[in-house]
Amino acid sequence: MKNFGFATVAATALAAGAFALAAPALAAPSAGGNAQDTISSLRDQGYKVVVNRLSNAALDQATVVSVGEGTAFTHSVSGANSDGDKLYGPVTTRTVYVNVR
């Protein structure tokens, strides 16, 4: 029984390491688009977006200066799906920093 527990822990650690090393591709700022479009696109891809404003311009009038990848962190969630089944498990949240002017 100890071997099964060790194998389970080892497999989980290896899988988590593989996911952590997989670098996600970031959506590059689109030419002609505004900052709001880029931020919405990143959020739609599942990123937690942190906006650094370099001016007082509204986001729909601002341009993106740069997009940088932040840290990813894993946390546990619980809830229910549409069938009412309970779901538990780890979720990895990816962060990006968007500088706008």
Side-chain angles (χ1 to χ4, degrees), residues 6 8-9 13 46-47 54-56 59 64 66-68 71 73 80 85 93:
F6 177 77
T8 302
V9 170
Y47 290 98
L54 304 176
S55 71
N56 291 330
L59 290 177
V64 174
S66 64
V67 178
T71 58
F73 58 93
D85 296 330
T93 301

Side-chain angles (χ1 to χ4, degrees), residues 5-96:
F6 177 77
T8 302
V9 170
T12 302
L14 287 173
F19 285 122
L21 293 177
L26 296 179
S30 56
N34 60 41
Q36 186 62 58
D37 293 339
T38 301
I39 293 166
S40 296
S41 174
L42 289 166
R43 285 186 176 144
D44 290 345
Q45 294 176 51
Y47 290 98
K48 177 183 182 332
V49 179
V50 178
V51 179
N52 296 315
R53 291 176 177 254
L54 304 176
S55 71
N56 291 330
L59 290 177
D60 62 350
Q61 297 174 353
T63 57
V64 174
V65 176
S66 64
V67 178
E69 186 174 0
T71 58
F73 58 93
T74 302
H75 53 95
S76 297
V77 297
S78 63
N81 62 14
S82 60
D83 296 331
D85 296 330
K86 291 193 177 191
L87 304 173
Y88 302 95
V91 172
T92 299
T93 301
R94 302 169 297 170
T95 306
V96 292

